[in-house]
Amino acid sequence: MDSKTLSTSSLVKAATYGTVQTNAGPKYNYNGLLLTDLSAALVSSTFVSPLVAIIDKSVVSNASGRQSLGEGLKAGLKDLFTAPHKFFRQPTFMIMFAVYSGTYAIANWTETICNHYDQPWQFPKFVTSSIANIGLSLLRDKLLAQWFGSSAKARPLPPLSYGCFVARDCLTIAASFNLPPAIAPWLQKQVGWTRDNCEIAAQLITPVGVQFLSTPLHLTGLDLYNRPGIAAAQRIAFLKKETGPTTAIRMVRILPAFSLGGVANKWMRMRGKEYFREN
């Protein structure tokens, strides 16, 4: 039997019996890994969505002038801790849960499927998770801007707002899913930590650091919706005023969203991989 026939036979066997085996690695229950990927995505999203929902609503309300950042955060946290049964039914939380559970699930499945077929996962994972995250995030941004923006009547977002949000999300995805595995080996050489500790540190640092670039894009997209047609000088003045505090709060926001959530997602997938390993 030649190598091509052997490879085809192995793939047929994997598809038939629900297992995955690399050419040189251990064999896993393929369906079990996919189920673990979904479970990790749902649990991680439940873990991060409440705080992110509160922060995003506060940022949008602050940008439109409806409510200051501090007032919005205080009101949101009060609702979460005093009336959680109402908080988790709010549309703001539900759209946030959809964004992160969808993004994590697609990213996880892409990596597992690529490993199943012995293909590199880095670029496919960036593409699929970007499509999922950008699509869901644009829906979220549109709804939040319409719900908490400056206009009493909802209107369509301008194309430039969508452009700002897409650029922001591409930066976030790259910093959350692709940069940590690339930075971890370099960090290990610099500080001498274990590979696992360096991967966790990279997962925590990169999504937070990219907020210096993504926050001005986010604010510009909101301001284009809230104040269409204003002079460039007015828009720049708005960015100078709001970028500092908004960047700080978005760093707090991104920590659970893609850093702590990313660590939880990675940990659950690692435990699931151990559980579904077949001897």
Side-chain angles (χ1 to χ4, degrees), residues 244-258:
T246 305
T247 297
I249 198 63
R250 280 178 60 81
M251 284 180 168
V252 175
R253 171 200 185 277
I254 209 67
L255 190 62
F258 280 108

Side-chain angles (χ1 to χ4, degrees), residues 6-174:
L6 180 61
S7 177
T8 303
S9 175
S10 299
L11 290 177
V12 171
K13 185 181 291 186
T16 303
Y17 295 104
T19 60
V20 57
Q21 182 177 17
T22 62
N23 291 333
K27 185 167 60 175
Y28 299 94
N29 183 289
Y30 181 52
N31 293 330
L33 293 183
L34 294 177
L35 180 61
T36 297
D37 289 342
L38 178 60
S39 300
L42 295 175
V43 172
S44 298
S45 181
T46 302
F47 174 62
V48 305
S49 294
L51 181 59
V52 175
I54 292 170
I55 291 176
D56 276 15
K57 178 181 176 182
S58 301
V59 168
V60 175
S61 297
N62 178 67
S64 68
R66 284 193 174 191
Q67 195 176 39
S68 70
L69 273 176
E71 291 171 344
L73 293 171
K74 183 178 179 180
L77 290 171
K78 181 180 178 181
D79 289 343
L80 175 61
F81 289 109
T82 62
H85 59 291
K86 294 181 179 179
F87 179 88
F88 288 106
R89 295 202 305 266
Q90 292 179 1
T92 307
F93 168 78
M94 290 189 285
I95 188 61
M96 205 64 63
F97 178 80
V99 170
Y100 290 107
S101 58
T103 301
Y104 281 126
I106 293 298
N108 292 346
W109 281 333
T110 301
E111 183 176 341
T112 295
I113 292 169
C114 287
N115 286 334
H116 174 58
Y117 290 106
D118 294 323
Q119 299 296 320
W121 56 262
Q122 286 81 0
F123 183 70
K125 184 176 181 179
F126 172 74
V127 172
T128 58
S129 57
S130 293
I131 292 173
N133 184 260
I134 289 170
L136 292 168
S137 294
L138 288 179
L139 174 61
R140 175 203 62 198
D141 293 327
K142 172 187 174 183
L143 293 175
L144 290 180
Q146 292 175 340
W147 293 339
F148 308 111
S150 61
S151 177
K153 183 178 179 181
R155 62 180 187 274
L157 264 69
L160 282 177
S161 288
Y162 283 116
C164 289
F165 296 149
V166 167
R168 174 205 64 195
D169 290 337
C170 285
L171 289 172
T172 301
I173 288 294

